[in-house]
Amino acid sequence: METEIPKVYSPESIEPHWARIWVDEKLYRPVEDASRPRFSLVIPPPNVTGSLHIGHMLEHTEIDILMRWHRMRGDDVLWLPGTDHASIATQMIVEQELGREVLPEMEGRSSAAAAWRREGQRRRLEMGLDKFMERCWQWKEQSGGRIRRQMERLGASVDWTRERFTMDADYSRAVLEVFSRLYREGLIYRGTYIVNWCPRCGTAVSDLEVAHEERPGKLWYIRYPFEDGSGYVTVATTRPETMLGDTAVAVNPADDRYRNAVGRRLVLPLLKRVIPIVADDFVDPGFGTGAVKVTPAHDPNDFGIATRHNLEQLKILDEKALMTEAAGPYKGLDRYKARERVLDDLRAEGLLEKEEDYPLSVGVCSRCKTVVEPLLSKQWFMKMQPLAEPAIRAVEDGRIRIVPENYRKIYLDWMYNIHDWCISRQLWWGHRIPVWTCEQCGEEIVSADLPKACSKCSGSKLRPETDVLDTWFSSALWPFVTLGWPEETDDLRRYYPTDLMIMGFDILFFWGARMIMMGLKFMNDVPFRELYIHALVRDAERQKMSKTKGNVIDPLEVTEKYGTDAVRFALAISAAPGTDIAFSYDKIESYRAFANKIWNAGRFILMNLEKLGPEARKRVAAATGSAARDAFVPLPTGPTLELADRWIFSRLATVSREIEEALADYRFHEASYKIYHFFWHEFCDWYLEWVKPEITRPLGPEDSCNAWVNLLRVFESALHLLHPFMPFITEELWHRLPNRDAEVSISRTPFALVTAQAANPDAEKDFENIRTLVVAARNAKAEAGLQKEKVAARAATEDSALLNLFDVHQETILRLAGLESLDLISGRLETGTHVTAAFEFQLLYEKKIDLGAERSRLGKERAKLEQALERVKKQLENRNFLDRAPQDVVQATESRRTELESQFQKVVESLERLG
RNA sequence: AGGCCCGUAGCUCAGUCUGGUUAGAGCGCUACCUUGACACGGUAGAGGUCAACGGUUCGAGUCCGUUCGGGCCUACCA
């Protein structure tokens, strides 16, 4: 053991060391022991788009706390790591990189990202599929490596031997297998429908990938003349340019205003196309004029109307959001330019009746913020209702528990109203849809493997599908494919269903819901038994963190500055379920201080242990034993110390239980607060101070070393409780304790070393009485301005047991309170400076007592007590309370009254004596 | 258009599910202390009509309703 332990804890010299060892020793592989309870979790795979952010760190901290806790309880724990190929997000980044290479001069400009991406898209097309994929793989290697290094540095106790990636060869094979099975069952189909199309990304996206933004807009009223020239119908629209694609006008069949209009024909302004008026229930007579222009190719509702009425679908916008041939003279115009021109022309023809301000919510691409275009397009879809039903039941009947509970309702609401899922993407990076079309007979061949010939006509010219799958299609399979599906592996048998999933709310539908559906579909069982939704980490101003705002926190940067343990602890103690976290450096600093406190407590103990000399040290080490063999109960140490030992072991028993209860319910903030408070304000502030004389004294050959044994066992127990929260510092200190040579890691030892048997209410009560006396004395000294001096004092009580307690521990009391002497008096004092329910306390000193100050303090206390007493009395006089409140509450209130009354009485008397 | 969350000390938040001591913590603030673990420390203290109003109850920060203020989500509202 080093003799020099630095005074200030420096995590940077310790954390990387242990991080390395934990990985090299493959410490966190599951034990694969069937006799043990199992606890498995697959990581929410981070996207290989860059590096981990502080939100990941929170997620990994929460998971790691639970994993380390379960492991220390002796469970067979699997935490499976891995990453997601993140099809669209990664492709965007790689394109951006390609652009950056040739346009370095844009660096730093606000428009850089968009310009790089445009250029990158051009370069992608130029280099072709194979070269581009190569670039993506390069990027994936870089980013994946970075993520792995970050996780190692954060101490995530994952099993790296089971690391997976959603585009690993066997994973991809499984994805295609799932596709073909769903296709064969008719749950995947191809069709031409309205989809959300992002003109900038050049692909369809799902409903979930569209963000809604409230923007000021206008409602334009346009006149559509009747074909026979007998007037017109006015329609209201927010998108006048789409009128070029109108193939009807619809009204509600019950709308009297248009009763006679239905079936008649209108002339579409500008293009002069003749279109019918149809009646459809969808139309709300109360909105606008009650007449709706119908643009089947560019609006999902209109598409529905068109299907019902067999209307023509006219595509007037193309995939770049430019007007098509069908738009006649407007061909080639951008959609917004076209809007202006259409409005101008309508005005010129006198057909624009009026315009009104109208706020509207526009859908934008969640990736690039471009306004998405509802577009008629041939895409692949997944039928969701049949898959959703079992997934709804699994949550309703409790096979999956969602925490916090309000997310359960949100999940169910979404699932009840689920729509089919557009799963094809016009991208390159991702899983190719396993479909081939025979160029000879047009047959569609779906197969997980590359087909050699057409299954119908044996033709060999097969054209492969070029679309890839939505990235969430493969993520949905994560819990079972990572464990080996479709093979029936041991891992799959043993670790599926997983026990827990932890994720942010933002991906509950994207990922959570779809995993549940796919798990039930392909494994016939839920993918996880519990789903915990964690909080969002915001910046100090509660803003969402984003690159564009420049308020993102890099986990590596803060951990390097403050230490991983401090950041982990700050996150954990802020993580109240259902509440977002405001990230602040102040907070992290205060938990760095906590790490330093732990370090110095350890330093103090180890330093004094060192001072004992080799012989005594050996004796202490042998007697301390190890948690694996010995029950951790307080050993006898003689009357003055025994109380402290019995008290701290009792507290340890309670705190262990409370931490476990909190963790079982994902109350990370509560669990971390309990151990924080215990370590600092009980173990350090009171226990260590109490036993200090004993352990700073040389230990003779004949002396009992029980005090040392108790101290080491308490300290060790505390390190165990702390370990899931602060793995590095606890590992380091634990290894410096005696008898640790043969053991690899604290993470492989039991969590709670002190069991419930150590609970000792009597010791806790005695300790509280002494603490109260010490605090009263310190308080009195501070008030008298005598902090520096040793002062004589006296205490009085009628309780002889208490008097005896104070007497036995007199030495400790004098030392902790800074008193010179303490006279113990049976009975009452003529004036009691400090009055508690149990005793009176008074300083004896030369200086004149400041009667005014004393009177005012006692007066304040009297008022406080009076108020409390008043309330209690009123309650006890209330018949209803006595009749209706539970007996134990009534009893507690009664004894409280007695206590308050006696205290009040004493304060009053003291005041009277003061005159 | 529906739904959810938040409003508690100067600041950041626990506590509300499961109603019952004199409502807690961290930071900040005040006073004192460099006492051989720790000044990233110690000791003592100041600071809150728990957003407002109404209701239920013997009893409300906690349950119910309404209002105000802030945030978020879902949605095929022309």
Side-chain angles (χ1 to χ4, degrees), chain A residues 284 301 542 579 680 779 884 896:
Chain A
D284 172 9
N301 294 317
R542 321 212 97 258
T579 318
W680 199 320
N779 185 308
R884 297 188 200 185
R896 201 173 128 58

PDB file of all heavy atoms in Angstrom, chain A residues 284 301 542 579 680 779 884 896, chain B residues 13-14 22 42 45 58 76 78:
ATOM      1  N   ASP A 284     -66.669  18.896 -43.305  1.00  0.00           N
ATOM      2  CA  ASP A 284     -67.278  19.572 -42.168  1.00  0.00           C
ATOM      3  C   ASP A 284     -67.978  20.833 -42.678  1.00  0.00           C
ATOM      4  O   ASP A 284     -67.319  21.770 -43.127  1.00  0.00           O
ATOM      5  CB  ASP A 284     -66.170  19.925 -41.170  1.00  0.00           C
ATOM      6  CG  ASP A 284     -66.685  20.812 -40.048  1.00  0.00           C
ATOM      7  OD1 ASP A 284     -67.917  21.013 -39.950  1.00  0.00           O
ATOM      8  OD2 ASP A 284     -65.844  21.297 -39.263  1.00  0.00           O
ATOM      9  N   ASN A 301     -56.563  13.217 -46.863  1.00  0.00           N
ATOM     10  CA  ASN A 301     -58.029  13.199 -46.780  1.00  0.00           C
ATOM     11  C   ASN A 301     -58.642  13.178 -48.166  1.00  0.00           C
ATOM     12  O   ASN A 301     -59.614  12.463 -48.426  1.00  0.00           O
ATOM     13  CB  ASN A 301     -58.529  14.429 -46.037  1.00  0.00           C
ATOM     14  CG  ASN A 301     -58.088  14.397 -44.597  1.00  0.00           C
ATOM     15  OD1 ASN A 301     -58.159  13.355 -43.952  1.00  0.00           O
ATOM     16  ND2 ASN A 301     -57.589  15.514 -44.102  1.00  0.00           N
ATOM     17  N   ARG A 542     -33.131  24.966 -18.672  1.00  0.00           N
ATOM     18  CA  ARG A 542     -34.185  24.003 -18.997  1.00  0.00           C
ATOM     19  C   ARG A 542     -34.476  23.935 -20.493  1.00  0.00           C
ATOM     20  O   ARG A 542     -35.549  23.510 -20.907  1.00  0.00           O
ATOM     21  CB  ARG A 542     -35.501  24.297 -18.257  1.00  0.00           C
ATOM     22  CG  ARG A 542     -35.355  24.760 -16.825  1.00  0.00           C
ATOM     23  CD  ARG A 542     -36.510  24.292 -15.967  1.00  0.00           C
ATOM     24  NE  ARG A 542     -36.142  23.081 -15.260  1.00  0.00           N
ATOM     25  CZ  ARG A 542     -36.498  21.858 -15.590  1.00  0.00           C
ATOM     26  NH1 ARG A 542     -37.233  21.654 -16.636  1.00  0.00           N
ATOM     27  NH2 ARG A 542     -36.135  20.824 -14.863  1.00  0.00           N
ATOM     28  N   THR A 579     -39.447  13.454 -14.208  1.00  0.00           N
ATOM     29  CA  THR A 579     -39.067  14.862 -14.164  1.00  0.00           C
ATOM     30  C   THR A 579     -37.778  15.074 -14.948  1.00  0.00           C
ATOM     31  O   THR A 579     -36.827  14.329 -14.773  1.00  0.00           O
ATOM     32  CB  THR A 579     -38.813  15.299 -12.708  1.00  0.00           C
ATOM     33  OG1 THR A 579     -39.816  14.729 -11.891  1.00  0.00           O
ATOM     34  CG2 THR A 579     -38.839  16.800 -12.597  1.00  0.00           C
ATOM     35  N   TRP A 680     -21.992  10.846   4.388  1.00  0.00           N
ATOM     36  CA  TRP A 680     -21.447  12.135   4.829  1.00  0.00           C
ATOM     37  C   TRP A 680     -21.920  12.507   6.240  1.00  0.00           C
ATOM     38  O   TRP A 680     -21.138  12.787   7.135  1.00  0.00           O
ATOM     39  CB  TRP A 680     -21.848  13.231   3.828  1.00  0.00           C
ATOM     40  CG  TRP A 680     -21.008  14.463   3.908  1.00  0.00           C
ATOM     41  CD1 TRP A 680     -20.542  15.068   5.047  1.00  0.00           C
ATOM     42  CD2 TRP A 680     -20.496  15.241   2.823  1.00  0.00           C
ATOM     43  NE1 TRP A 680     -19.797  16.172   4.726  1.00  0.00           N
ATOM     44  CE2 TRP A 680     -19.756  16.304   3.361  1.00  0.00           C
ATOM     45  CE3 TRP A 680     -20.620  15.157   1.419  1.00  0.00           C
ATOM     46  CZ2 TRP A 680     -19.126  17.276   2.560  1.00  0.00           C
ATOM     47  CZ3 TRP A 680     -19.994  16.119   0.636  1.00  0.00           C
ATOM     48  CH2 TRP A 680     -19.257  17.160   1.209  1.00  0.00           C
ATOM     49  N   ASN A 779     -24.669  24.795  19.900  1.00  0.00           N
ATOM     50  CA  ASN A 779     -25.565  25.908  19.645  1.00  0.00           C
ATOM     51  C   ASN A 779     -25.391  26.991  20.717  1.00  0.00           C
ATOM     52  O   ASN A 779     -25.235  28.173  20.412  1.00  0.00           O
ATOM     53  CB  ASN A 779     -26.992  25.342  19.642  1.00  0.00           C
ATOM     54  CG  ASN A 779     -28.009  26.376  19.276  1.00  0.00           C
ATOM     55  OD1 ASN A 779     -28.025  27.446  19.880  1.00  0.00           O
ATOM     56  ND2 ASN A 779     -28.836  26.080  18.302  1.00  0.00           N
ATOM     57  N   ARG A 884     -62.614   8.962  14.311  1.00  0.00           N
ATOM     58  CA  ARG A 884     -62.385   8.518  12.942  1.00  0.00           C
ATOM     59  C   ARG A 884     -60.928   8.251  12.572  1.00  0.00           C
ATOM     60  O   ARG A 884     -60.662   7.456  11.687  1.00  0.00           O
ATOM     61  CB  ARG A 884     -62.936   9.565  11.960  1.00  0.00           C
ATOM     62  CG  ARG A 884     -64.430   9.717  12.102  1.00  0.00           C
ATOM     63  CD  ARG A 884     -64.975  10.588  11.024  1.00  0.00           C
ATOM     64  NE  ARG A 884     -66.285  11.105  11.414  1.00  0.00           N
ATOM     65  CZ  ARG A 884     -67.055  11.818  10.624  1.00  0.00           C
ATOM     66  NH1 ARG A 884     -66.618  12.123   9.418  1.00  0.00           N
ATOM     67  NH2 ARG A 884     -68.228  12.249  11.032  1.00  0.00           N
ATOM     68  N   ARG A 896     -47.316  13.043  21.487  1.00  0.00           N
ATOM     69  CA  ARG A 896     -46.721  14.269  21.005  1.00  0.00           C
ATOM     70  C   ARG A 896     -47.159  15.457  21.855  1.00  0.00           C
ATOM     71  O   ARG A 896     -46.383  16.348  22.179  1.00  0.00           O
ATOM     72  CB  ARG A 896     -47.164  14.492  19.550  1.00  0.00           C
ATOM     73  CG  ARG A 896     -46.270  15.406  18.796  1.00  0.00           C
ATOM     74  CD  ARG A 896     -46.665  15.442  17.357  1.00  0.00           C
ATOM     75  NE  ARG A 896     -46.846  16.814  16.938  1.00  0.00           N
ATOM     76  CZ  ARG A 896     -45.901  17.729  17.014  1.00  0.00           C
ATOM     77  NH1 ARG A 896     -44.720  17.410  17.489  1.00  0.00           N
ATOM     78  NH2 ARG A 896     -46.121  18.960  16.646  1.00  0.00           N
TER      79      ARG A 896
ATOM     80  P     C B  13     -35.318  23.133 -12.144  1.00  0.00           P
ATOM     81  OP1   C B  13     -35.283  22.082 -13.180  1.00  0.00           O
ATOM     82  OP2   C B  13     -36.212  24.280 -12.300  1.00  0.00           O
ATOM     83  O5'   C B  13     -35.609  22.490 -10.718  1.00  0.00           O
ATOM     84  C5'   C B  13     -36.238  21.263 -10.602  1.00  0.00           C
ATOM     85  C4'   C B  13     -35.615  20.466  -9.493  1.00  0.00           C
ATOM     86  O4'   C B  13     -35.078  21.324  -8.450  1.00  0.00           O
ATOM     87  C3'   C B  13     -36.595  19.587  -8.722  1.00  0.00           C
ATOM     88  O3'   C B  13     -36.861  18.399  -9.436  1.00  0.00           O
ATOM     89  C2'   C B  13     -35.830  19.323  -7.432  1.00  0.00           C
ATOM     90  O2'   C B  13     -34.852  18.334  -7.614  1.00  0.00           O
ATOM     91  C1'   C B  13     -35.146  20.674  -7.199  1.00  0.00           C
ATOM     92  N1    C B  13     -35.882  21.545  -6.251  1.00  0.00           N
ATOM     93  C2    C B  13     -35.856  21.212  -4.888  1.00  0.00           C
ATOM     94  O2    C B  13     -35.233  20.210  -4.531  1.00  0.00           O
ATOM     95  N3    C B  13     -36.523  21.999  -4.013  1.00  0.00           N
ATOM     96  C4    C B  13     -37.177  23.063  -4.443  1.00  0.00           C
ATOM     97  N4    C B  13     -37.809  23.806  -3.542  1.00  0.00           N
ATOM     98  C5    C B  13     -37.227  23.415  -5.818  1.00  0.00           C
ATOM     99  C6    C B  13     -36.570  22.634  -6.687  1.00  0.00           C
ATOM    100  P     A B  14     -38.211  17.674  -9.197  1.00  0.00           P
ATOM    101  OP1   A B  14     -38.465  16.838 -10.380  1.00  0.00           O
ATOM    102  OP2   A B  14     -39.261  18.591  -8.714  1.00  0.00           O
ATOM    103  O5'   A B  14     -37.763  16.722  -8.025  1.00  0.00           O
ATOM    104  C5'   A B  14     -38.405  16.800  -6.790  1.00  0.00           C
ATOM    105  C4'   A B  14     -37.700  15.936  -5.818  1.00  0.00           C
ATOM    106  O4'   A B  14     -36.910  16.786  -4.945  1.00  0.00           O
ATOM    107  C3'   A B  14     -38.654  15.185  -4.899  1.00  0.00           C
ATOM    108  O3'   A B  14     -39.008  13.936  -5.441  1.00  0.00           O
ATOM    109  C2'   A B  14     -37.846  15.065  -3.611  1.00  0.00           C
ATOM    110  O2'   A B  14     -36.886  14.038  -3.697  1.00  0.00           O
ATOM    111  C1'   A B  14     -37.129  16.416  -3.603  1.00  0.00           C
ATOM    112  N9    A B  14     -37.929  17.471  -2.969  1.00  0.00           N
ATOM    113  C8    A B  14     -38.441  18.598  -3.551  1.00  0.00           C
ATOM    114  N7    A B  14     -39.113  19.364  -2.723  1.00  0.00           N
ATOM    115  C5    A B  14     -39.038  18.691  -1.517  1.00  0.00           C
ATOM    116  C6    A B  14     -39.542  18.971  -0.232  1.00  0.00           C
ATOM    117  N6    A B  14     -40.239  20.060   0.046  1.00  0.00           N
ATOM    118  N1    A B  14     -39.279  18.085   0.747  1.00  0.00           N
ATOM    119  C2    A B  14     -38.572  16.991   0.461  1.00  0.00           C
ATOM    120  N3    A B  14     -38.040  16.610  -0.696  1.00  0.00           N
ATOM    121  C4    A B  14     -38.320  17.521  -1.653  1.00  0.00           C
ATOM    122  P     U B  22     -46.738  19.230  14.108  1.00  0.00           P
ATOM    123  OP1   U B  22     -47.062  19.689  15.472  1.00  0.00           O
ATOM    124  OP2   U B  22     -47.786  19.148  13.077  1.00  0.00           O
ATOM    125  O5'   U B  22     -45.523  20.116  13.544  1.00  0.00           O
ATOM    126  C5'   U B  22     -45.829  21.325  12.843  1.00  0.00           C
ATOM    127  C4'   U B  22     -44.566  22.130  12.718  1.00  0.00           C
ATOM    128  O4'   U B  22     -43.987  22.274  14.037  1.00  0.00           O
ATOM    129  C3'   U B  22     -43.478  21.508  11.829  1.00  0.00           C
ATOM    130  O3'   U B  22     -42.902  22.521  11.026  1.00  0.00           O
ATOM    131  C2'   U B  22     -42.447  21.012  12.824  1.00  0.00           C
ATOM    132  O2'   U B  22     -41.132  21.056  12.314  1.00  0.00           O
ATOM    133  C1'   U B  22     -42.598  22.021  13.945  1.00  0.00           C
ATOM    134  N1    U B  22     -42.119  21.564  15.264  1.00  0.00           N
ATOM    135  C2    U B  22     -41.177  22.353  15.900  1.00  0.00           C
ATOM    136  O2    U B  22     -40.757  23.380  15.413  1.00  0.00           O
ATOM    137  N3    U B  22     -40.760  21.874  17.109  1.00  0.00           N
ATOM    138  C4    U B  22     -41.186  20.741  17.739  1.00  0.00           C
ATOM    139  O4    U B  22     -40.728  20.451  18.833  1.00  0.00           O
ATOM    140  C5    U B  22     -42.156  19.968  17.024  1.00  0.00           C
ATOM    141  C6    U B  22     -42.585  20.403  15.836  1.00  0.00           C
ATOM    142  P     G B  42     -17.924  19.073   5.919  1.00  0.00           P
ATOM    143  OP1   G B  42     -18.599  17.792   6.113  1.00  0.00           O
ATOM    144  OP2   G B  42     -18.562  20.154   5.144  1.00  0.00           O
ATOM    145  O5'   G B  42     -17.553  19.683   7.339  1.00  0.00           O
ATOM    146  C5'   G B  42     -16.876  18.883   8.281  1.00  0.00           C
ATOM    147  C4'   G B  42     -16.635  19.678   9.534  1.00  0.00           C
ATOM    148  O4'   G B  42     -15.788  20.813   9.216  1.00  0.00           O
ATOM    149  C3'   G B  42     -17.856  20.320  10.151  1.00  0.00           C
ATOM    150  O3'   G B  42     -18.615  19.395  10.910  1.00  0.00           O
ATOM    151  C2'   G B  42     -17.223  21.410  11.005  1.00  0.00           C
ATOM    152  O2'   G B  42     -16.628  20.851  12.160  1.00  0.00           O
ATOM    153  C1'   G B  42     -16.115  21.898  10.063  1.00  0.00           C
ATOM    154  N9    G B  42     -16.543  23.041   9.252  1.00  0.00           N
ATOM    155  C8    G B  42     -16.830  23.066   7.908  1.00  0.00           C
ATOM    156  N7    G B  42     -17.168  24.251   7.477  1.00  0.00           N
ATOM    157  C5    G B  42     -17.104  25.055   8.607  1.00  0.00           C
ATOM    158  C6    G B  42     -17.356  26.453   8.771  1.00  0.00           C
ATOM    159  O6    G B  42     -17.708  27.275   7.917  1.00  0.00           O
ATOM    160  N1    G B  42     -17.171  26.856  10.083  1.00  0.00           N
ATOM    161  C2    G B  42     -16.792  26.031  11.112  1.00  0.00           C
ATOM    162  N2    G B  42     -16.669  26.599  12.308  1.00  0.00           N
ATOM    163  N3    G B  42     -16.545  24.735  10.980  1.00  0.00           N
ATOM    164  C4    G B  42     -16.716  24.319   9.706  1.00  0.00           C
ATOM    165  P     G B  45     -28.482  25.797  14.936  1.00  0.00           P
ATOM    166  OP1   G B  45     -29.466  25.872  16.032  1.00  0.00           O
ATOM    167  OP2   G B  45     -28.449  24.627  14.050  1.00  0.00           O
ATOM    168  O5'   G B  45     -28.585  27.097  14.003  1.00  0.00           O
ATOM    169  C5'   G B  45     -29.056  28.297  14.543  1.00  0.00           C
ATOM    170  C4'   G B  45     -28.826  29.464  13.625  1.00  0.00           C
ATOM    171  O4'   G B  45     -27.631  29.307  12.847  1.00  0.00           O
ATOM    172  C3'   G B  45     -29.881  29.721  12.566  1.00  0.00           C
ATOM    173  O3'   G B  45     -31.045  30.286  13.127  1.00  0.00           O
ATOM    174  C2'   G B  45     -29.146  30.706  11.666  1.00  0.00           C
ATOM    175  O2'   G B  45     -29.097  31.986  12.249  1.00  0.00           O
ATOM    176  C1'   G B  45     -27.721  30.122  11.678  1.00  0.00           C
ATOM    177  N9    G B  45     -27.436  29.317  10.487  1.00  0.00           N
ATOM    178  C8    G B  45     -27.256  27.954  10.424  1.00  0.00           C
ATOM    179  N7    G B  45     -26.995  27.532   9.216  1.00  0.00           N
ATOM    180  C5    G B  45     -27.014  28.679   8.434  1.00  0.00           C
ATOM    181  C6    G B  45     -26.805  28.848   7.042  1.00  0.00           C
ATOM    182  O6    G B  45     -26.545  27.991   6.199  1.00  0.00           O
ATOM    183  N1    G B  45     -26.916  30.180   6.661  1.00  0.00           N
ATOM    184  C2    G B  45     -27.195  31.219   7.502  1.00  0.00           C
ATOM    185  N2    G B  45     -27.267  32.433   6.953  1.00  0.00           N
ATOM    186  N3    G B  45     -27.391  31.074   8.817  1.00  0.00           N
ATOM    187  C4    G B  45     -27.289  29.791   9.203  1.00  0.00           C
ATOM    188  P     C B  58     -65.175  14.289   8.555  1.00  0.00           P
ATOM    189  OP1   C B  58     -65.638  13.096   9.287  1.00  0.00           O
ATOM    190  OP2   C B  58     -66.120  15.301   8.041  1.00  0.00           O
ATOM    191  O5'   C B  58     -64.088  15.051   9.439  1.00  0.00           O
ATOM    192  C5'   C B  58     -64.519  15.891  10.506  1.00  0.00           C
ATOM    193  C4'   C B  58     -63.329  16.260  11.354  1.00  0.00           C
ATOM    194  O4'   C B  58     -62.818  15.076  12.008  1.00  0.00           O
ATOM    195  C3'   C B  58     -62.134  16.796  10.580  1.00  0.00           C
ATOM    196  O3'   C B  58     -62.263  18.179  10.336  1.00  0.00           O
ATOM    197  C2'   C B  58     -60.968  16.481  11.506  1.00  0.00           C
ATOM    198  O2'   C B  58     -60.873  17.404  12.557  1.00  0.00           O
ATOM    199  C1'   C B  58     -61.411  15.127  12.080  1.00  0.00           C
ATOM    200  N1    C B  58     -60.858  13.974  11.329  1.00  0.00           N
ATOM    201  C2    C B  58     -59.498  13.662  11.448  1.00  0.00           C
ATOM    202  O2    C B  58     -58.782  14.386  12.144  1.00  0.00           O
ATOM    203  N3    C B  58     -58.999  12.607  10.788  1.00  0.00           N
ATOM    204  C4    C B  58     -59.810  11.854  10.036  1.00  0.00           C
ATOM    205  N4    C B  58     -59.272  10.817   9.398  1.00  0.00           N
ATOM    206  C5    C B  58     -61.193  12.135   9.907  1.00  0.00           C
ATOM    207  C6    C B  58     -61.682  13.200  10.565  1.00  0.00           C
ATOM    208  P     C B  76     -51.925  12.048 -38.358  1.00  0.00           P
ATOM    209  OP1   C B  76     -51.827  10.669 -38.769  1.00  0.00           O
ATOM    210  OP2   C B  76     -50.737  12.806 -37.869  1.00  0.00           O
ATOM    211  O5'   C B  76     -52.493  12.899 -39.547  1.00  0.00           O
ATOM    212  C5'   C B  76     -53.525  13.845 -39.354  1.00  0.00           C
ATOM    213  C4'   C B  76     -54.255  13.982 -40.660  1.00  0.00           C
ATOM    214  O4'   C B  76     -54.336  12.685 -41.311  1.00  0.00           O
ATOM    215  C3'   C B  76     -55.694  14.406 -40.487  1.00  0.00           C
ATOM    216  O3'   C B  76     -55.789  15.824 -40.503  1.00  0.00           O
ATOM    217  C2'   C B  76     -56.380  13.789 -41.681  1.00  0.00           C
ATOM    218  O2'   C B  76     -56.158  14.550 -42.845  1.00  0.00           O
ATOM    219  C1'   C B  76     -55.632  12.465 -41.822  1.00  0.00           C
ATOM    220  N1    C B  76     -56.252  11.360 -41.064  1.00  0.00           N
ATOM    221  C2    C B  76     -57.586  10.998 -41.312  1.00  0.00           C
ATOM    222  O2    C B  76     -58.234  11.618 -42.137  1.00  0.00           O
ATOM    223  N3    C B  76     -58.117   9.981 -40.608  1.00  0.00           N
ATOM    224  C4    C B  76     -57.385   9.317 -39.713  1.00  0.00           C
ATOM    225  N4    C B  76     -57.963   8.314 -39.055  1.00  0.00           N
ATOM    226  C5    C B  76     -56.039   9.663 -39.449  1.00  0.00           C
ATOM    227  C6    C B  76     -55.512  10.670 -40.139  1.00  0.00           C
ATOM    228  P     A B  78     -56.106  20.907 -42.479  1.00  0.00           P
ATOM    229  OP1   A B  78     -55.923  20.169 -43.751  1.00  0.00           O
ATOM    230  OP2   A B  78     -55.095  20.771 -41.471  1.00  0.00           O
ATOM    231  O5'   A B  78     -56.255  22.501 -42.760  1.00  0.00           O
ATOM    232  C5'   A B  78     -57.403  22.956 -43.389  1.00  0.00           C
ATOM    233  C4'   A B  78     -57.492  22.317 -44.719  1.00  0.00           C
ATOM    234  O4'   A B  78     -58.805  21.733 -44.791  1.00  0.00           O
ATOM    235  C3'   A B  78     -57.333  23.266 -45.878  1.00  0.00           C
ATOM    236  O3'   A B  78     -56.508  22.660 -46.851  1.00  0.00           O
ATOM    237  C2'   A B  78     -58.752  23.476 -46.371  1.00  0.00           C
ATOM    238  O2'   A B  78     -58.788  23.639 -47.748  1.00  0.00           O
ATOM    239  C1'   A B  78     -59.435  22.174 -45.980  1.00  0.00           C
ATOM    240  N9    A B  78     -60.862  22.393 -45.712  1.00  0.00           N
ATOM    241  C8    A B  78     -61.640  23.496 -46.021  1.00  0.00           C
ATOM    242  N7    A B  78     -62.903  23.371 -45.699  1.00  0.00           N
ATOM    243  C5    A B  78     -62.969  22.121 -45.141  1.00  0.00           C
ATOM    244  C6    A B  78     -64.055  21.407 -44.610  1.00  0.00           C
ATOM    245  N6    A B  78     -65.289  21.880 -44.546  1.00  0.00           N
ATOM    246  N1    A B  78     -63.797  20.184 -44.140  1.00  0.00           N
ATOM    247  C2    A B  78     -62.547  19.703 -44.213  1.00  0.00           C
ATOM    248  N3    A B  78     -61.432  20.279 -44.694  1.00  0.00           N
ATOM    249  C4    A B  78     -61.729  21.506 -45.143  1.00  0.00           C
TER     250        A B  78
END
